[in-house]
Amino acid sequence: MVSNTEIVWVYGSSGSGKETFIRHIIDNKPTELLKRLGWLGKKLQLCSESVNHIAQFYQDPVGDKRGELLDSVFRLAQNENSVVLIKGQDLDLKHKRLIRLREKLPERDHKIIFLHANIQELYRRWHLKSWWEESFTEETVKEWLVPQSESLERLSDVFEITSLESDAEKKYKTVKF
């Protein structure tokens, strides 16, 4: 069975604007951006568990609830001509949820959007996070980006990865991953 439904994981560092991007797409339906992403005319769906169950620290019990993502996305992906948007976390990479979902729904298109923001902007945004610690530096931001980038790079043979610039104007220009 051939499908025109896409399952899209949205990744980026903490503070890169993943949820902002998803909400902007779903709430505003920006024509130019939807056209560029090939989503114009498609039903846009949010996997609500992916924004409601966000682990904030190592071994956060909320992270256990992210296992519900697969069943939720499976249900949403039954709709033809749609895009299912999922706010990704490193925890999903660790538990191989992207691969497991791809195996469960092989006839769907599985993609990754990576939101890029410059280090200074990410550092500024981190100050607003509940988990912010005064000991964090711009170097901490750089260090935290490496494992996620490496994990996503390993998936690039089986997932189309589009990297977008996350900026205050919400232009989301395509940039190199």
Side-chain angles (χ1 to χ4, degrees), residues 2-163:
V2 175
S3 172
N4 57 356
T5 293
E6 297 179 31
I7 297 170
V8 181
W9 293 83
V10 179
Y11 270 93
S13 169
S14 182
S16 64
K18 297 177 292 290
E19 187 170 345
T20 300
F21 171 79
I22 292 169
R23 299 260 184 226
H24 178 65
I25 292 287
I26 289 177
D27 296 343
N28 300 311
K29 297 172 183 56
T31 304
E32 187 277 325
L33 181 57
L34 293 175
K35 189 181 300 183
R36 197 163 21 106
L37 295 171
W39 301 346
L40 197 59
K42 291 194 173 205
K43 179 179 182 181
L44 304 169
Q45 304 179 94
L46 166 65
C47 173
S48 58
E49 290 83 355
S50 72
V51 294
N52 293 336
H53 304 311
I54 299 294
Q56 297 292 321
F57 51 87
Y58 181 68
Q59 294 189 332
D60 183 342
V62 171
D64 294 338
K65 294 183 176 189
R66 289 192 69 82
E68 299 170 13
L69 293 176
L70 299 183
D71 290 336
S72 177
V73 173
F74 184 81
R75 282 190 305 277
L76 293 169
Q78 300 312 305
N79 295 310
E80 290 298 318
N81 198 37
S82 65
V83 177
V84 180
L85 294 163
I86 310 160
K87 180 180 179 182
Q89 284 203 286
D90 291 347
L91 194 55
D92 301 317
L93 293 166
K94 177 183 175 191
H95 291 282
K96 302 188 183 320
R97 289 190 181 109
L98 289 80
I99 297 296
R100 289 173 37 216
L101 190 57
R102 185 178 177 82
E103 289 169 352
K104 193 172 180 176
L105 293 165
E107 71 285 356
R108 303 299 191 234
D109 289 330
H110 296 260
K111 299 180 179 179
I112 296 170
I113 298 259
F114 180 79
L115 295 179
H116 171 78
N118 71 51
I119 300 300
Q120 294 78 21
E121 180 62 19
L122 288 174
Y123 182 69
R124 186 189 67 74
R125 293 176 185 177
W126 280 22
H127 283 266
L128 306 172
K129 300 289 184 181
S130 61
W131 46 260
W132 167 255
E133 293 180 18
E134 289 300 320
S135 63
F136 292 155
T137 64
E138 287 185 14
E139 194 58 37
T140 308
V141 175
K142 290 177 190 174
E143 290 170 8
W144 283 16
L145 285 173
V146 172
Q148 184 183 93
S149 296
E150 289 174 348
S151 293
L152 293 172
E153 183 65 37
R154 284 192 291 275
L155 294 174
S156 64
D157 325 0
V158 290
F159 286 86
E160 176 185 319
I161 300 177
T162 302
S163 185

